[in-house]
Amino acid sequence: MGSDWPLVSLGDYCVKIGSGATPRGGSSVYKEYGEICLIRSQNIYNDGFKSQGLVYIDEDAAKKLKNVVIEKNDILLNITGDSVARVCLAVERYLPARVNQHVAIIRPNPKEFDARYLRYVISSPFMQKVLLNLASAGATRNALTKTMIETLEVSKPPLIIQKNIADCLESLDDKIFLNNETNQTLEQMAQALFKSWFVDFDPVFDNLLASVDFKLESLENRLPDNLKLKAQRRLAVLNSLENAAECKASLIALAHELQAQLPTKEATQAAVQILGKTAETPVKANVSANPKILAQHANTHFPNEFEHNEQLGWIPKGWESKTIDELCKINPESWTKKNAPEVVKYVDLANAKNGSVGEAIEYSFSEAPSRARRILRPHDTIIGVVRPANRSFAYVNEDNLTGSTGFAVVRANNQNCRAFAYFSLTNDDCIQEFTRIADGAAYPAIKPEDVAKTYCVYSNNKILDAFESIAGNIMSGVARNQTQTKTLTKLRDTLLPKLIAGEITINKDI
């Protein structure tokens, strides 16, 4: 049992405890690509290693850090600043690597400690509190010293029990990681489809090219130079398809059908055939570079000409520019003292990131933050109006949530605009524009009116219905994975302290 497990000083059972250094020259010697990673505190989180912001150094700089070479299964611990005590395992695919002076390497003796188990111990709520208390004892900045780490007392069960505990928790973490990776891929798919239809206008170019039998010279006098260049690029994509000839033949048949305004059985069958074949093609994670997803949706709902629009430039003929508030309500509902529930599940700006909502915090309404006022419904889009560059936005999948007044809540008037509104407001170009117009040097922010007056290209209900059918299904898959991830995370966080304390035992076969 846990009460029988000895408490030992970490330094007595580790073959290495030590931090690195910043290479001479600092950030000026960092490289975007290379063979040797320099791992910094921003890469280390309790839920795992994050590659965002990872930098590289050359061989000369690495040789000067030869005492802090990271090995597989090393434990990486942040030892300074606001991120102090965050901990994760080194990830083998990022080796060889070094650490800077803000990160400590903890390398346990493998005959005494399972590194995975020890990482879970250090990331447990109790040990995190211990480390934060130690780090805050200094006069100026939060910091953990080598001596603090070496004298840290941890529970040491038999090695086989350590392995069983680590296996159990790691199996949950692996599933959580897989769900997160899957959701990133799913959202990339939906983003690529949005870009194809409503930014690059690929189906319109397909229909235009097909109307001239894919002879670019026939478009010489029909398009301005920038559209000619896009037509050339689109033709190159179509030519790169494995079934390029079949695809182009089907598009030509469809173009003839459009021209004649009389649907023919052969053309319809040809279009359906190519749509079916491309729809069955697996989509890779890098879907923006996958031409097959871009070629599968040319149909009679898309025009084959362009016209100039005052707000948006060249857009498909018959389409128009609209502002978001013409399609959606902005901040449609809020809690007041009269209508507020007794309890709210609160989502703040820090809890909505790059498309998903984290674990909401439950408060009684009387004790909730004063900003907990926005009523959120499933399929709402929430956009953080403060520091938009932080990308605090999400597609709401859960009921009974309350958002911060720091969000602009966008609710589509019609079902077929839900996914369309979300991707219109959260694509990179739009977030960059929000960042550009944000007022205030210390507290840059946009207004809900800025979100409301964002222009988007409006096609027609048939196209929006088709987009919602595809993208909406993708977002539903994301929602299912998010729900499962939250359940797994709660289970892991509940088991973690109980397993480490020996309150729960695990059969060694688990």
Side-chain angles (χ1 to χ4, degrees), residues 331-336 341 343-352 357-363 365 368-378 380-385 392 394 396 398-411:
N331 296 334
E333 298 179 277
S334 295
W335 297 124
T336 66
V343 176
V344 293
K345 294 172 68 177
Y346 179 53
V347 179
D348 64 9
L349 293 179
N351 210 22
V357 174
E359 190 66 32
I361 302 174
E362 196 168 282
Y363 293 97
F365 185 78
S370 61
R371 296 171 71 88
R373 293 295 182 270
R374 301 280 189 235
I375 299 174
L376 306 183
R377 307 286 185 191
D380 284 351
T381 292
I382 54 177
I383 303 283
V385 296
S392 293
V396 178
E398 187 178 344
D399 209 349
N400 300 317
L401 294 180
T402 295
S404 167
T405 53
F407 290 117
V409 181
V410 181
R411 184 171 302 161

Side-chain angles (χ1 to χ4, degrees), residues 175-235:
K175 179 57 179 171
I176 291 169
F177 177 81
L178 179 60
N179 281 352
N180 291 336
E181 290 280 294
T182 300
N183 277 358
Q184 287 181 19
T185 299
L186 288 173
E187 183 141 344
Q188 286 173 350
M189 289 169 60
Q191 287 171 343
L193 184 62
F194 175 84
K195 185 174 184 292
S196 172
W197 285 20
F198 302 111
V199 178
D200 296 333
F201 310 127
D202 290 317
V204 182
F205 278 107
D206 289 347
N207 288 344
L208 174 61
L209 289 164
S211 70
V212 294
D213 292 342
F214 297 93
K215 297 174 182 176
L216 281 175
E217 60 272 16
S218 301
L219 298 176
E220 190 64 31
N221 299 319
R222 290 178 56 180
L223 296 176
D225 289 342
N226 63 328
L227 289 187
K228 288 178 189 174
L229 184 59
K230 291 181 178 180
Q232 289 175 343
R233 287 199 294 259
R234 184 58 191 165
L235 181 58

Side-chain angles (χ1 to χ4, degrees), residues 424-482:
S424 293
L425 289 168
T426 61
N427 64 78
D428 288 344
D429 289 343
C430 193
I431 296 299
Q432 288 172 9
E433 178 61 13
F434 287 155
T435 301
R436 186 188 68 80
I437 65 175
D439 291 330
Y443 198 68
I446 58 173
K447 301 179 181 66
E449 292 78 15
D450 295 322
V451 176
K453 296 306 177 183
T454 298
Y455 280 106
C456 60
V457 59
Y458 183 81
S459 52
N460 58 57
N461 281 326
K462 289 184 178 180
I463 291 175
L464 289 176
D465 286 343
F467 181 74
E468 183 65 35
S469 176
I470 300 168
N473 283 337
I474 291 174
M475 301 305 283
S476 294
V478 170
R480 287 191 295 272
N481 287 337
Q482 287 175 347

Side-chain angles (χ1 to χ4, degrees), residues 16-255:
K16 183 176 184 60
I17 294 177
S19 60
T22 296
R24 181 171 294 179
S27 60
S28 65
V29 303
Y30 296 164
K31 301 177 182 298
E32 189 174 352
Y33 304 99
E35 295 183 358
I36 302 172
C37 300
L38 180 68
I39 293 175
R40 300 175 293 166
S41 56
Q42 59 259 55
N43 304 123
I44 295 169
Y45 289 81
N46 286 342
D47 61 348
F49 182 86
K50 310 291 185 185
S51 61
Q52 291 88 342
L54 189 66
V55 296
Y56 296 82
I57 55 178
D58 60 25
E59 288 282 356
D60 289 339
K63 286 177 182 177
K64 296 173 184 177
L65 296 173
K66 62 182 180 180
N67 292 328
V68 285
V69 175
I70 299 174
E71 297 181 1
K72 181 182 177 182
N73 289 330
D74 278 354
I75 299 165
L76 307 179
L77 176 68
N78 284 354
I79 56 175
T80 64
D82 294 337
S83 67
V84 70
R86 290 198 316 224
V87 62
C88 72
L89 283 179
V91 179
E92 187 174 11
R93 70 173 175 270
Y94 294 108
L95 302 184
R98 309 289 190 270
V99 293
N100 71 1
Q101 74 271 27
H102 302 297
V103 180
I105 296 173
I106 302 174
R107 185 176 302 151
N109 183 338
K111 295 180 180 179
E112 301 289 347
F113 270 109
D114 184 293
R116 300 169 303 155
Y117 163 81
L118 190 54
R119 197 277 295 181
Y120 281 118
V121 170
I122 297 173
S123 68
S124 68
F126 171 77
M127 193 59 69
Q128 285 285 292
K129 185 175 181 180
V130 169
L131 290 169
L132 289 171
N133 285 338
L134 288 171
S136 63
T140 54
R141 190 183 187 196
N142 288 344
L144 292 169
T145 66
K146 182 177 181 180
T147 300
M148 289 176 183
I149 300 170
E150 289 175 337
T151 57
L152 191 68
E153 290 191 333
V154 296
S155 175
K156 185 178 181 297
L159 191 59
I160 186 62
I161 294 178
Q162 294 180 37
K163 292 181 181 295
N164 289 340
I165 290 172
D167 287 345
C168 175
L169 296 172
E170 193 173 55
S171 66
L172 295 173
D173 275 337
D174 286 347
K175 179 57 179 171
I176 291 169
F177 177 81
L178 179 60
N179 281 352
N180 291 336
E181 290 280 294
T182 300
N183 277 358
Q184 287 181 19
T185 299
L186 288 173
E187 183 141 344
Q188 286 173 350
M189 289 169 60
Q191 287 171 343
L193 184 62
F194 175 84
K195 185 174 184 292
S196 172
W197 285 20
F198 302 111
V199 178
D200 296 333
F201 310 127
D202 290 317
V204 182
F205 278 107
D206 289 347
N207 288 344
L208 174 61
L209 289 164
S211 70
V212 294
D213 292 342
F214 297 93
K215 297 174 182 176
L216 281 175
E217 60 272 16
S218 301
L219 298 176
E220 190 64 31
N221 299 319
R222 290 178 56 180
L223 296 176
D225 289 342
N226 63 328
L227 289 187
K228 288 178 189 174
L229 184 59
K230 291 181 178 180
Q232 289 175 343
R233 287 199 294 259
R234 184 58 191 165
L235 181 58
V237 170
L238 292 173
N239 286 334
S240 71
L241 294 173
E242 293 179 6
N243 58 341
E246 183 181 0
C247 181
K248 289 163 74 172
S250 297
L251 289 169
I252 289 172
L254 185 58

Side-chain angles (χ1 to χ4, degrees), residues 281-448:
T281 304
V283 180
K284 301 175 183 177
N286 185 17
V287 287
S288 61
N290 183 353
K292 295 183 181 179
I293 193 172
L294 308 181
Q296 67 180 345
H297 301 295
N299 56 54
T300 55
H301 302 319
F302 287 88
N304 63 0
E305 295 181 71
F306 290 88
E307 60 186 4
H308 195 267
N309 178 272
E310 184 178 350
Q311 286 81 27
L312 299 175
W314 289 96
I315 64 173
K317 188 174 183 178
W319 292 18
E320 58 184 315
S321 63
K322 288 198 175 187
T323 55
I324 286 294
D325 62 352
E326 292 182 84
L327 304 175
C328 306
K329 296 179 180 67
I330 310 298
N331 296 334
E333 298 179 277
S334 295
W335 297 124
T336 66
K337 290 182 179 180
K338 292 183 178 180
N339 70 352
E342 292 184 7
V343 176
V344 293
K345 294 172 68 177
Y346 179 53
V347 179
D348 64 9
L349 293 179
N351 210 22
K353 201 73 172 173
N354 281 323
S356 63
V357 174
E359 190 66 32
I361 302 174
E362 196 168 282
Y363 293 97
S364 64
F365 185 78
S366 61
E367 297 178 353
S370 61
R371 296 171 71 88
R373 293 295 182 270
R374 301 280 189 235
I375 299 174
L376 306 183
R377 307 286 185 191
H379 308 295
D380 284 351
T381 292
I382 54 177
I383 303 283
V385 296
V386 179
R387 296 187 178 89
N390 288 347
R391 302 177 67 86
S392 293
F393 60 78
Y395 187 83
V396 178
N397 288 311
E398 187 178 344
D399 209 349
N400 300 317
L401 294 180
T402 295
S404 167
T405 53
F407 290 117
V409 181
V410 181
R411 184 171 302 161
N413 295 330
N414 298 309
Q415 180 176 326
N416 65 6
C417 285
R418 297 184 306 198
F420 175 77
Y422 171 72
F423 289 109
S424 293
L425 289 168
T426 61
N427 64 78
D428 288 344
D429 289 343
C430 193
I431 296 299
Q432 288 172 9
E433 178 61 13
F434 287 155
T435 301
R436 186 188 68 80
I437 65 175
D439 291 330
Y443 198 68
I446 58 173
K447 301 179 181 66

